[in-house]
Amino acid sequence: MSDTLNTLKEVLRDFADRYSGDYLLYQQEGTFRCVDWNRSSEVVAKAESDETVPVKKEWLPTLAAMAQSGKGIVSIPLSDLDLPQNGYVACIATSYLKGFVALLLVKGSLTSFASNARVNSLLRFSREIYFSFNLQDKKLNYISPSIEDVLGYSHKALLGKNLEELAVYVHPEDLSILEQSIAFDHEFDDATPVSLQFRFMHRTGRYLYFQLNAQMEFHDWEPVEVYCSLRDISEIKETEDLAMQLNVQMHALEKELQQSQKKHDDSKLPDQADGAPRQLVSNSLAHDEEVFQQMAENTNDIFMLRDAKHIIYINNQFEKIWGRSKEALIQDPYQLSEWIYPEDQPNVEVWVNLETLTRNTPYVQQFRIVKPDGDIRWLWSRSFPVYNSEGMPYRLLEITTDITEQKDFEDALMTAKEKAQESDMLKSTFLANISHEIRTPMNGIVGFSELIARDDLDAETRKNYVVIMKKSSEQLIRIIDDIIDFAKLEANQIRISAETFDVNKLIDQVFVFFENRMEQSDTNSLTLLVSKALPDEEAEIVSDDHRIRQVLSYLIDNSVKYTDEGFIEFGYTVQGDKLEFFVKDSGIGIAKEKREVIFERFRQADEGHTRKYGGTGLGLPIAQGLVNLLGGAIRFESEENKGTTFYFTIPYRREKEKESKEVFSEWIDEKYNWKDKLILVAEDDELNFEYMKIILESSQAKVIRAKDGSQAVKICSNLNFDIILMDIRLPILNGIQATQQLRQMGVTTPIVAQTAFAMDDDEYKCLAAGCDRYITKPISKGKLFSTIEELLQK
Amino acid sequence: MTDIRKKVLIVEDEESNYALLQVLLRSWNVELAWAQTGAEAILRCQQHSFDLILMDIKMPEMSGYEAIKRLRALGVETPIIAQTAYARIEDEEKSRELGFDAYISKPINRIKFNKILEQFLT
């Protein structure tokens, strides 16, 4: 029993790491239990403390079937799970592990996946048509775009049509089959999908034969929707018909032969005379057999004609599809069953009994076979009876098609659908987390900025408020920086530079930075250590120092978060043509089951509503993205409660490219004096302008404002400025357009662009339009002033 | 003279957010206690009885969702207000389902906040 519980715990944990959903169903001792899954970490605890509810009995067969196959989706009313809410959940079979089944439940409808782009493009290139009917209004509520290729109609033209309107396209002879089978009379249960064949008109007017598979979707035992797939089987149908015709002809010839034989026997003519008619008949037979054979050899399907005991004819296609010799089969037809995929063997009737066949309806089977080389193929066989003169079935025609590609496609579609759903779920969790992380510091900023405006505050209180606001703002900026870096990585917008720098100095700088920070936050019990492999005089390398610093910072931040006491050591070693950086800590380590997901986007080892370590969960994915861009790889070693070491490599390059390096001198304490200078500030936001005006006027410069781009152009045609500060997001004319116009007018004043969107693309656009410099908001006075000073000196 | 002020427990792991609540509650003249985790909140409630609890949701070790379940299971009937940066409609619905008596999202709107307190402190 405790063994079972342990395995269950393991499975649930494993499952919780890989998927997310609203509820989790798992199989235990012949029943299914449902557990609320808002925090994956608590699923196990809940299962243990028995905070689970059993699923109503009616669902057991369906769920068991899904669990067995690991496939399928079904809607279950929440009330059947004994859950207090109303509504339905989509139950998706996802995993079958170690004797336990975990089924994922997601609130909401199943059809939403069709709007997913990836699924849709799969559907677009499919040779099958997928569609669904709403049973309330009996209208077509979805049809895949593949209908355009297969039937020539635009899928929009058919959408929203009801059954009567669609019946026009169906071959009149087949209407009754459709009406009988899909009467939508709720008689068939959801476990049995409908499968039938009928003709549907192509846009050009000819009829194509289709295989229709349909499955009902139930809510509260009421069918609400029917999902269908249509496959063009016209070619197969044609060959089948031809084969049937030939068989009838052969049968007629044989009858003729029998009769002439009988006549001959009756007349008791001497031997010599009886040769003529027989000769004639067998000639004709031979001719027809030749036609039959020719036709049979030219199809992709297996053709087999047999009687109760022997194979009369089988085409060469058999050898291709099964990978076995025809002769061997003919000698011992029963060995067919040994070549069937073991799991399918109990369900397949390889030697269909003639008596079980009925007129007009083929006996249809789908199964897998194993070829001698181990390849597994999906086959679809149809068996037809052939009748003798007495109207008794005496022969059987079997046509078998290899449908592996189609099956693979269906599987791919299913996987894509599951993936899409999973990533949708991850994304919404991610968004909720980001929103939470932004709102948390915002609470301090918004709350205290309201309070600080009050008059009755003493200086000390006011100062305290400002300190809190400043801390919260810094926290917010860190989060926003992370999000922007993450978005840039996702959009491939990060550019890596290759510059010469001193890697030992970089390590020292990072060390000083973190040492200071740790001092401030009283983490006394933590020691920071560094290790550098290259001697200082050989420490110049070529790479992107800014990005390496960023990755190191993420990793050290991460270590600080998870290490209460002991040490954090970082540095690098030389590994041939690579430098391997490392960050090693004596922290809590990474739990085994979390190791696979820590680099995944939107994930955090500590998901859910308990926040021990905070953050957006973007640090490690960003670090990984940056390391990849730097041309290296990231990995880690970890032991629970002992610590974790992250390693990342970069190519070790030493050749110094002759490049003039831009030097930004930090002139923070120097006085700027721009007494006679005239500065235009193009800025639509009142507050931003006020801020710019205050800091610019501290240099005694004169500041003039333009509220939009066109005003900036107008003012510039009348006045000569020394510097123009151009906001990019401006009304009427944006900053880029305004800059272009100014340059066209011949205005040569240096223009500094500024925007809140720290995306590299903006930078390129600004410079291309004719701006001289580019700075991002929030604007630091030091950076702004050094930029302006530099331009004024030119 | 005994203290007739109402007792309010703030459950909040973020210091700046606690500081804000402290200031916002000043005009209500209440006695404040601070718990930084759900577990600490339970401990506090076992020792004292409070007139109102303001509970954050995302906290270390034990979330506000779990804390309210346990408090109710222990028979604590004090009104509990969720105050959280989980600001979607689903989050508000969830807090109501779990038995929170009121819900306010962060950043906290002062007017809304005072209206809610009026219901529970007067």
Side-chain angles (χ1 to χ4, degrees):
Chain A
M1 179 61 215
S2 76
D3 257 10
T4 320
L5 195 60
N6 281 337
T7 321
L8 174 66
K9 273 157 68 177
E10 202 180 303
V11 170
L12 287 179
R13 222 179 268 125
D14 177 70
F15 197 71
D17 289 341
R18 283 202 256 164
Y19 303 96
S20 67
D22 297 309
Y23 303 96
L24 180 73
L25 271 183
Y26 63 94
Q27 203 172 26
Q28 193 182 21
E29 286 153 11
T31 181
F32 280 87
R33 304 192 74 83
C34 175
V35 50
D36 189 343
W37 192 0
N38 272 297
R39 254 161 300 163
S40 56
S41 57
E42 282 182 17
V43 166
V44 176
K46 279 182 178 165
E48 223 171 346
S49 63
D50 221 23
E51 266 183 69
T52 57
V53 290
V55 176
K56 282 201 177 156
K57 270 196 194 120
E58 300 95 280
W59 288 99
L60 292 183
T62 313
L63 292 174
M66 283 169 68
Q68 180 86 44
S69 64
K71 275 186 189 169
I73 38 180
V74 69
S75 270
I76 307 176
L78 281 168
S79 52
D80 279 4
L81 299 174
D82 250 348
L83 292 168
Q85 299 99 317
N86 290 322
Y88 297 88
V89 287
C91 176
I92 302 148
T94 8
S95 181
Y96 184 49
L97 295 157
K98 295 176 190 166
F100 292 93
V101 175
L103 298 166
L104 197 62
L105 301 186
V106 191
K107 280 189 212 170
S109 92
L110 293 175
T111 33
S112 58
F113 84 87
S115 59
N116 181 282
R118 200 162 145 224
V119 175
N120 235 339
S121 68
L122 265 172
L123 289 171
R124 175 75 187 81
F125 298 110
S126 164
R127 283 175 55 229
E128 298 227 339
I129 301 169
Y130 297 88
F131 62 94
S132 63
F133 261 106
N134 182 331
L135 292 176
Q136 257 80 56
D137 56 10
K138 306 219 164 154
K139 278 182 180 160
L140 199 63
N141 60 8
Y142 176 78
I143 186 152
S144 62
S146 47
I147 185 150
E148 290 174 31
D149 291 341
V150 181
L151 277 166
Y153 304 104
S154 122
H155 77 287
K156 280 181 192 127
L158 292 182
L159 216 58
K161 295 214 166 176
N162 62 26
L163 280 176
E164 286 74 32
E165 288 169 309
L166 290 168
V168 179
Y169 300 97
V170 177
H171 195 284
E173 287 171 19
D174 297 342
L175 271 175
S176 60
I177 305 176
L178 272 181
E179 276 160 11
Q180 274 166 26
S181 309
I182 307 203
F184 301 124
D185 55 4
H186 319 171
E187 268 173 21
F188 55 98
D189 64 280
D190 59 337
T192 10
V194 170
S195 170
L196 54 97
Q197 298 176 355
F198 71 103
R199 279 162 287 181
F200 198 90
M201 198 197 284
H202 188 272
R203 204 167 65 90
T204 54
R206 77 199 149 92
Y207 283 99
L208 298 178
Y209 244 105
F210 286 97
Q211 167 81 29
L212 173 92
N213 291 303
Q215 173 113 36
M216 285 274 187
E217 167 75 9
F218 287 77
H219 280 178
D220 276 339
W221 303 101
E222 277 295 305
V224 288
E225 224 170 21
V226 55
Y227 296 124
C228 312
S229 74
L230 271 185
R231 195 155 69 92
D232 182 359
I233 51 161
S234 307
E235 268 179 46
I236 297 166
K237 245 342 211 197
E238 267 169 41
T239 16
E240 274 175 12
D241 286 350
L242 207 62
M244 283 298 265
Q245 245 173 355
L246 270 167
N247 207 288
V248 171
Q249 274 179 25
M250 278 169 72
H251 176 234
L253 281 163
E254 253 174 290
K255 221 160 102 182
E256 211 177 300
L257 181 74
Q258 279 166 2
Q259 273 167 1
S260 68
Q261 179 101 36
K262 212 172 152 209
K263 227 193 254 166
H264 167 75
D265 288 349
D266 287 349
S267 63
K268 282 177 188 150
L269 282 168
D271 272 358
Q272 210 185 343
D274 76 346
R278 185 177 281 190
Q279 188 81 42
L280 186 76
V281 171
S282 45
N283 265 346
S284 158
L285 231 184
H287 171 73
D288 278 310
E289 263 178 356
E290 204 177 296
V291 173
F292 176 82
Q293 202 162 329
Q294 257 177 20
M295 189 205 64
E297 292 307 330
N298 283 324
T299 112
N300 289 322
D301 298 335
I302 303 170
F303 260 73
M304 181 173 74
L305 186 68
R306 64 167 175 86
D307 59 22
K309 287 194 179 115
H310 305 287
I311 294 175
I312 299 164
Y313 172 79
I314 187 157
N315 66 351
N316 289 328
Q317 210 55 31
F318 169 82
E319 301 198 334
K320 257 191 216 158
I321 291 175
W322 288 70
R324 316 269 174 179
S325 112
K326 251 166 59 169
E327 282 66 36
L329 177 78
I330 291 167
Q331 272 178 14
D332 180 9
Y334 295 96
Q335 52 183 329
L336 265 179
S337 61
E338 288 161 28
W339 303 332
I340 308 275
Y341 189 69
E343 231 175 73
D344 293 348
Q345 276 175 8
N347 308 321
V348 183
E349 211 180 323
V350 281
W351 199 255
V352 177
N353 190 345
L354 273 170
E355 269 78 51
T356 59
L357 294 174
T358 46
R359 204 177 280 269
N360 296 331
T361 330
Y363 184 78
V364 182
Q365 304 191 88
Q366 264 189 33
F367 52 90
R368 283 164 289 182
I369 58 161
V370 185
K371 291 174 77 164
D373 59 3
D375 195 14
I376 293 163
R377 309 294 295 176
W378 270 100
L379 300 189
W380 177 44
S381 81
R382 286 88 69 214
S383 310
F384 307 85
V386 181
Y387 296 91
N388 64 12
S389 50
E390 279 86 43
M392 291 300 289
Y394 83 120
R395 279 182 176 180
L396 181 144
L397 177 71
E398 196 168 275
I399 301 172
T400 308
T401 315
D402 184 337
I403 53 162
T404 312
E405 272 71 37
Q406 181 209 338
K407 281 276 176 191
D408 287 349
F409 178 80
E410 279 171 11
D411 286 348
L413 197 67
M414 196 68 183
T415 316
K417 199 203 81 181
E418 277 164 15
K419 272 256 154 82
Q421 277 172 335
E422 195 196 327
S423 90
D424 275 355
M425 282 185 274
L426 284 176
K427 265 186 205 148
S428 75
T429 315
F430 168 75
L431 281 180
N433 274 336
I434 292 285
S435 157
H436 184 277
E437 290 310 305
I438 291 175
R439 279 168 179 275
T440 300
M442 284 295 277
N443 193 36
I445 300 169
V446 173
F448 282 105
S449 58
E450 259 181 58
L451 292 168
I452 210 163
R454 290 196 334 211
D455 297 328
D456 56 347
L457 295 181
D458 57 61
E460 185 65 18
T461 315
R462 201 165 291 215
K463 207 184 135 199
N464 281 342
Y465 288 4
V466 170
V467 169
I468 297 176
M469 283 165 64
K470 194 167 166 273
K471 270 192 182 165
S472 302
S473 307
E474 281 163 3
Q475 192 186 341
L476 184 61
I477 285 187
R478 272 202 303 279
I479 289 164
I480 290 171
D481 281 346
D482 277 5
I483 297 172
I484 288 179
D485 269 342
F486 178 75
K488 280 182 175 176
L489 271 171
E490 290 277 285
N492 274 330
Q493 278 186 341
I494 286 191
R495 286 175 179 79
I496 294 294
S497 65
E499 280 176 34
T500 307
F501 64 94
D502 185 323
V503 62
N504 285 2
K505 272 193 189 145
L506 172 82
I507 297 287
D508 289 339
Q509 284 163 0
V510 174
F511 177 77
V512 170
F513 176 81
F514 277 96
E515 182 86 333
N516 281 339
R517 215 164 84 182
M518 279 157 64
E519 254 168 45
Q520 276 170 22
S521 59
D522 301 327
T523 37
N524 293 330
S525 45
L526 206 53
T527 317
L528 193 61
L529 305 164
V530 287
S531 117
K532 296 169 279 192
L534 294 169
D536 283 352
E537 58 276 14
E538 286 172 29
E540 288 211 323
I541 62 160
V542 180
S543 185
D544 189 327
D545 59 333
H546 170 62
R547 296 302 177 187
I548 294 174
R549 188 193 315 255
Q550 207 181 342
V551 176
L552 279 173
S553 300
Y554 278 126
L555 296 178
I556 298 171
D557 260 336
N558 197 60
S559 284
V560 172
K561 260 198 234 171
Y562 296 102
T563 312
D564 287 336
E565 53 179 13
F567 67 90
I568 295 171
E569 185 183 357
F570 73 99
Y572 66 91
T573 55
V574 180
Q575 310 274 346
D577 57 351
K578 288 185 180 111
L579 285 188
E580 185 172 73
F581 290 83
F582 67 89
V583 176
K584 184 175 183 176
D585 67 51
S586 61
I588 59 166
I590 302 163
K592 270 205 184 88
E593 61 269 22
K594 299 290 181 193
R595 287 180 194 170
E596 273 176 30
V597 301
I598 66 160
F599 287 119
E600 259 175 50
R601 295 120 82 218
F602 317 139
R603 295 305 270 268
Q604 220 176 348
D606 175 34
E607 260 170 2
H609 301 294
T610 49
R611 177 189 38 193
K612 180 148 188 193
Y613 303 107
T616 51
L618 292 178
L620 290 178
I622 294 174
Q624 188 187 36
L626 291 176
V627 169
N628 289 344
L629 287 178
L630 286 164
I634 193 165
R635 68 189 172 91
F636 65 91
E637 285 164 6
S638 184
E639 201 175 330
E640 267 180 274
N641 300 319
K642 288 260 172 80
T644 306
T645 311
F646 277 93
Y647 300 92
F648 70 92
T649 54
I650 59 161
Y652 178 27
R653 288 200 286 141
R654 307 189 57 193
E655 72 270 28
K656 292 160 203 167
E657 279 157 35
K658 281 181 186 100
E659 230 182 333
S660 64
K661 239 169 99 180
E662 246 182 296
V663 185
F664 279 109
S665 38
E666 299 276 329
W667 293 355
I668 293 155
D669 296 323
E670 271 184 56
K671 294 247 160 141
Y672 294 92
N673 190 342
W674 300 331
K675 202 173 172 195
D676 301 315
K677 305 295 182 194
L678 191 55
I679 300 177
L680 177 70
V681 177
E683 170 66 67
D684 59 327
D685 185 88
E686 199 74 39
L687 278 178
N688 285 343
F689 173 72
E690 280 303 318
Y691 172 71
M692 295 289 276
K693 190 172 143 116
I694 289 166
I695 59 168
L696 289 171
E697 282 181 346
S698 72
S699 74
Q700 299 177 13
K702 218 168 146 32
V703 177
I704 287 176
R705 180 187 183 193
K707 285 186 182 177
D708 57 58
S710 84
Q711 216 178 58
V713 174
K714 219 158 140 195
I715 295 172
C716 283
S717 58
N718 295 321
L719 275 172
N720 282 327
F721 289 91
D722 296 291
I723 291 284
I724 299 169
L725 296 181
M726 183 76 78
D727 187 24
I728 293 306
R729 316 276 147 154
L730 284 176
I732 309 182
L733 280 183
N734 69 31
I736 289 171
Q737 294 164 327
T739 303
Q740 280 166 344
Q741 286 201 9
L742 287 172
R743 293 301 185 225
Q744 274 164 20
M745 283 157 56
V747 175
T748 54
T749 313
I751 299 177
V752 180
Q754 37 159 323
T755 173
F757 297 90
M759 296 289 186
D760 281 342
D761 259 13
D762 281 347
E763 184 173 353
Y764 285 101
K765 275 187 209 149
C766 292
L767 299 181
C771 294
D772 298 86
R773 288 284 182 277
Y774 169 92
I775 51 178
T776 50
K777 292 176 182 175
I779 285 163
S780 93
K781 188 181 166 184
K783 180 77 188 286
L784 176 69
F785 274 34
S786 67
T787 308
I788 294 177
E789 184 70 23
E790 192 203 42
L791 290 169
L792 288 173
Q793 301 288 322
K794 272 191 177 171
Chain B
M1 189 184 134
T2 50
D3 194 351
I4 51 147
R5 291 186 301 165
K6 300 225 170 175
K7 295 181 185 63
V8 176
L9 175 65
I10 296 177
V11 192
E12 170 65 67
D13 63 321
E14 192 80 19
E15 198 176 340
S16 65
N17 286 344
Y18 170 71
L20 179 66
L21 289 170
Q22 203 183 14
V23 179
L24 291 178
L25 282 163
R26 201 168 283 160
S27 59
W28 288 91
N29 190 31
V30 290
E31 196 186 326
L32 283 185
W34 181 19
Q36 280 178 279
T37 69
E40 211 183 312
I42 291 168
L43 214 69
R44 291 266 186 166
C45 285
Q46 283 171 329
Q47 290 161 348
H48 303 280
S49 76
F50 291 93
D51 297 295
L52 182 64
I53 300 171
L54 296 174
M55 177 98 74
D56 189 19
I57 299 300
K58 191 166 181 175
M59 289 184 294
E61 325 280 349
M62 189 195 292
S63 74
Y65 293 144
E66 191 59 35
I68 191 171
K69 277 190 208 161
R70 302 216 182 168
L71 284 173
R72 295 300 187 223
L74 286 168
V76 175
E77 283 167 5
T78 314
I80 306 181
I81 302 175
Q83 47 103 16
T84 173
Y86 284 118
R88 298 170 305 165
I89 294 171
E90 303 96 282
D91 299 318
E92 177 165 2
E93 280 168 0
K94 176 154 192 199
S95 71
R96 300 226 185 261
E97 276 165 24
L98 285 172
F100 281 97
D101 299 272
Y103 164 94
I104 186 154
S105 65
K106 292 176 185 169
I108 288 172
N109 177 318
R110 210 146 42 108
I111 298 162
K112 252 193 214 162
F113 184 69
N114 282 328
K115 268 196 187 146
I116 291 174
L117 287 187
E118 244 167 58
Q119 292 171 36
F120 295 99
L121 289 179
T122 50

